[in-house]
Amino acid sequence: MSRWLVPLAVLGVLAALYGATSNPDPSPDARTAAFAARHVALTGDPVPDIASFPYLDDNIIRGTWIVETADGREAVGRAPGVIAAVVPAYALARPGTVDPLPGGLTAALLTAVAMVLLLLVLRRHLGTRTALAATAVVALGTPVWSVAADAVWPHTLTTLGILGTAWAADRRRWWLVGVFGGVMLWGRLHAAVICAVVGLGLARTRRQPGIALRVGAAAAAALALSSAWTRWMYGSWDPSSGYRAGDFTGGVLDHALDPLNWLGFVVSADRGLLWWAPLLVVLGPTAWRVRHALPDWSRWLAAGGATYAVTQAVLNRFSGGDHFYGYRTSLELVVSLAPALALATPHLSARARRWVLPAVVVQVTVIATGAITDDLYSPVRDVWWRHAFVDAVVHRPGHVLPLAVVVAVTTLLAARVLRDARVAVWLDRADRPVTGSAPPPSRAAAPVTPTPTPRPPARRSG
């Protein structure tokens, strides 16, 4: 079997699923980016006539999406990549109005590519079957589906950049690590901290300063291009010109020492990670225990994601706005942890293994239900005590429960299929080396193998 059959199948299936479930009525974040991208694609002019886009006229926080250019005109204020990524789709489709479909399909394709990169990384270490299962959990059991693939958010770019960084670092392609770091900062400027931690960390642990130089040079080039974009669009070389910088400096004063804001990222009902991602609790302790057995790049990527999460908590409120399903501001942390958590699974204890499937079923069921329906949201004022999925089950059981049951049963059946011996044999064929294939990875990226751990003697019934 061709080694590319499974990745291509994953790309096609996920792109189709994401595209079919993309949001027909996305957040103002995505709509304004689409408005700007369509205008650029059709006219080549970076500053549209905001008066021709009445969508924001009655919005009390209209200024969140509108900034002033150097010459005093109003323009759409978004990160460069969020607008630029959608321009090709609008250039091809050339719709008469701001149709969200080109943006939705763009997000679907870019996110599917990111998932294939994750699959390729994990397959080198865990084999096709385990890599396929782990990729499916990230693709379908996190807001990668309900946010990054739902419309072109900044997270569409950062997810692609983070997993591209993992793929490139695993293959020691340091220039590409910097390029994917550039993709991250085009999505969110401060996501560059993830690239910086990976580049500097690998240079330190491998005692190769050239790694940091190559990663930094490529990322700096991407930053320069970002500045050129903002100069063209807003008349300023400041790469943060797409946002009102005062909002973030004010955020530092408001959130840096606010314990409730920090706790909100973890335990708030509708935005806290622990409510949406029980697998973090199941896999996290094992990943920490065996961290020194994991590839160094996966440890530095996790550290970069943690650094980004702290930065995000300082700069912004935990809730991340509304009109999206699941957590959003913590998504980069989860994606950064994903390779390390997956690579730690061979070390799981028997007890932890028993909890993996229930946690997977819960995550996929909860995320898929909202990603498919596209209308389950909690108002930002209520995110401490309301959970969008639980609210929907309580108030709209006839609409939500049948879909949730179908998703849960489908997830269980998929897990059973992957465990089938015949499927295992078929997928194992994709792991066989082919003529002219690349040499096996070096010691720094060696496959993770389980190490025996001492266990107390079993209790005997008396």
Side-chain angles (χ1 to χ4, degrees):
M1 182 171 83
S2 169
R3 287 178 60 83
W4 285 104
L5 179 59
V6 173
L8 288 175
V10 169
L11 177 65
V13 169
L14 287 181
L17 177 63
Y18 289 160
T21 58
S22 64
N23 202 328
D25 183 24
S27 160
D29 295 70
R31 276 190 176 273
T32 51
F35 171 62
R38 174 179 173 273
H39 185 77
V40 170
L42 299 184
T43 69
D45 179 11
V47 182
D49 179 12
I50 301 298
S52 66
F53 187 56
Y55 178 75
L56 298 177
D57 286 352
D58 298 325
N59 197 307
I60 60 173
I61 56 171
R62 179 179 182 272
T64 301
W65 302 282
I66 302 298
V67 298
E68 190 174 287
T69 65
D71 58 2
R73 293 182 293 169
E74 285 189 326
V76 171
R78 303 294 294 149
V82 179
I83 297 174
V86 195
V87 170
Y90 273 105
L92 289 173
R94 307 186 73 81
T97 60
V98 186
D99 188 337
L101 184 60
L105 295 181
T106 299
L109 180 59
L110 293 179
T111 308
V113 169
M115 294 301 100
V116 171
L117 290 172
L118 175 62
L119 173 69
L120 294 177
V121 170
L122 298 181
R123 184 170 70 172
R124 281 165 58 96
H125 299 270
L126 301 174
T128 298
R129 181 168 59 155
T130 304
L132 189 60
T135 301
V137 173
V138 177
L140 305 176
T142 72
V144 162
W145 184 1
S146 62
V147 174
D150 201 44
V152 178
W153 290 85
H155 315 284
T156 310
L157 280 299
T158 54
T159 296
L160 176 60
I162 291 168
L163 296 178
T165 294
W167 175 84
D170 190 47
R171 286 158 174 77
R172 295 176 291 174
R173 298 181 181 180
W174 311 124
W175 290 104
L176 284 178
V177 170
V179 169
F180 281 110
V183 174
M184 277 188 264
L185 68 86
W186 269 65
R188 271 200 162 174
L189 185 60
H190 55 289
V193 71
I194 301 174
C195 178
V197 169
V198 172
L200 293 172
L202 288 175
R204 177 179 177 273
T205 55
R206 301 191 182 199
R207 295 183 174 86
Q208 298 178 31
I211 293 176
L213 292 175
R214 288 192 285 273
V215 171
L223 179 61
L225 288 174
S226 176
S227 295
W229 172 277
T230 58
R231 176 67 177 84
W232 175 63
M233 181 161 277
Y234 307 114
S236 170
W237 290 102
D238 181 355
S240 67
S241 299
Y243 290 96
R244 297 182 305 181
D247 292 349
F248 294 100
T249 57
V252 172
L253 298 175
D254 294 337
H255 306 311
L257 299 177
D258 181 359
L260 282 180
N261 188 63
W262 289 65
L263 284 172
F265 286 91
V266 182
V267 298
S268 62
D270 199 65
R271 299 291 189 263
L273 278 178
L274 295 183
W275 295 101
W276 295 91
L279 263 178
L280 292 178
V281 179
V282 176
L283 303 179
T286 299
W288 176 257
R289 175 172 55 85
V290 302
R291 61 191 181 279
H292 297 300
L294 303 178
D296 56 355
W297 60 262
S298 68
R299 300 195 302 269
W300 286 115
L301 187 65
T307 304
Y308 172 85
V310 172
T311 305
Q312 183 71 9
V314 169
L315 291 174
N316 211 336
R317 64 192 188 280
F318 75 91
S319 59
D322 51 18
H323 205 75
F324 64 89
Y325 183 78
Y327 53 91
R328 183 170 75 84
T329 50
S330 303
L331 183 55
E332 285 78 7
L333 172 60
V334 171
V335 175
S336 297
L337 291 173
L341 294 175
L343 293 172
T345 54
H347 301 270
L348 289 173
S349 66
R351 178 180 298 176
R353 289 179 185 277
R354 287 195 295 270
W355 283 103
V356 168
L357 183 58
V360 167
V361 172
V362 169
Q363 281 195 209
V364 173
T365 300
V366 171
I367 288 293
T369 302
I372 292 170
T373 58
D374 274 327
D375 63 349
L376 308 183
Y377 306 115
S378 290
V380 68
R381 64 181 179 274
D382 297 336
V383 295
W384 269 107
W385 54 85
R386 291 176 60 180
H387 187 285
F389 179 79
V390 175
D391 264 7
V393 169
V394 171
H395 299 294
R396 302 161 57 187
H399 175 64
V400 172
L401 280 178
L403 176 59
V405 170
V406 169
V407 172
V409 171
T410 302
T411 304
L412 288 169
L413 289 176
R416 183 172 181 177
V417 168
L418 282 175
R419 289 177 175 177
D420 186 88
R422 292 167 296 181
V423 174
V425 170
W426 185 79
L427 289 175
D428 284 345
R429 296 175 187 170
D431 296 326
R432 296 174 184 172
V434 296
T435 303
S437 62
S442 66
R443 181 182 298 272
V448 176
T449 55
T451 55
T453 55
R455 299 184 182 280
R459 295 181 180 177
R460 297 181 179 180
S461 58

